[in-house]
Amino acid sequence: AASPWSVEDILREEDEQDRVPLQKLRLLGESEELRALLQNPHLRQLLLTVDQAEDKSSLMKKYMQEPLFVEFADCCLRIVEPPEKENVLPE
């Protein structure tokens, strides 16, 4: 039986800056906002197409012009890298 893949199988050492800690990735599964977005059949088809594409990079550039895909990407980023609060006065 083949062993399941690991992050090390797909990321090279120079990609280390692109790695998201597993703890933060788990937050994606807990997000109700993300879950609601994934109910959209059009978004699901876009994601499936990217997953199966040979040239993911050029397809991602194309899909980043789609408002629904951008909304999905922004939602994921807000979860794994919450924006820093701006203009907050210390207490």
Side-chain angles (χ1 to χ4, degrees):
S3 63
W5 62 271
S6 70
V7 174
E8 287 74 24
D9 293 334
I10 56 174
L11 287 180
R12 298 178 305 272
E13 195 171 308
E14 61 269 16
D15 297 325
E16 186 66 33
Q17 68 188 27
D18 296 330
R19 186 177 293 196
V20 177
L22 188 56
Q23 178 183 0
K24 288 194 173 194
L25 288 177
R26 286 188 177 120
L27 295 175
L28 294 171
E30 299 169 6
S31 169
E32 291 299 324
E33 180 186 7
L34 184 56
R35 211 171 281 195
L37 279 173
L38 290 171
Q39 295 297 316
N40 184 308
H42 180 60
L43 177 60
R44 292 168 69 117
Q45 185 58 52
L46 292 175
L47 293 173
L48 185 60
T49 303
V50 169
D51 185 52
Q52 295 172 346
E54 288 292 323
D55 186 7
K56 293 180 188 338
S57 179
S58 66
L59 193 57
M60 287 290 289
K61 287 178 186 174
K62 175 184 172 187
Y63 283 177
M64 286 307 288
Q65 303 304 310
E66 292 251 358
L68 179 60
F69 195 84
V70 172
E71 183 180 358
F72 166 76
D74 287 345
C75 180
C76 291
L77 287 173
R78 280 193 308 273
I79 294 167
V80 298
E81 287 187 9
E84 294 182 22
K85 297 187 186 222
E86 297 177 16
N87 302 325
V88 176
L89 295 173
E91 295 183 24

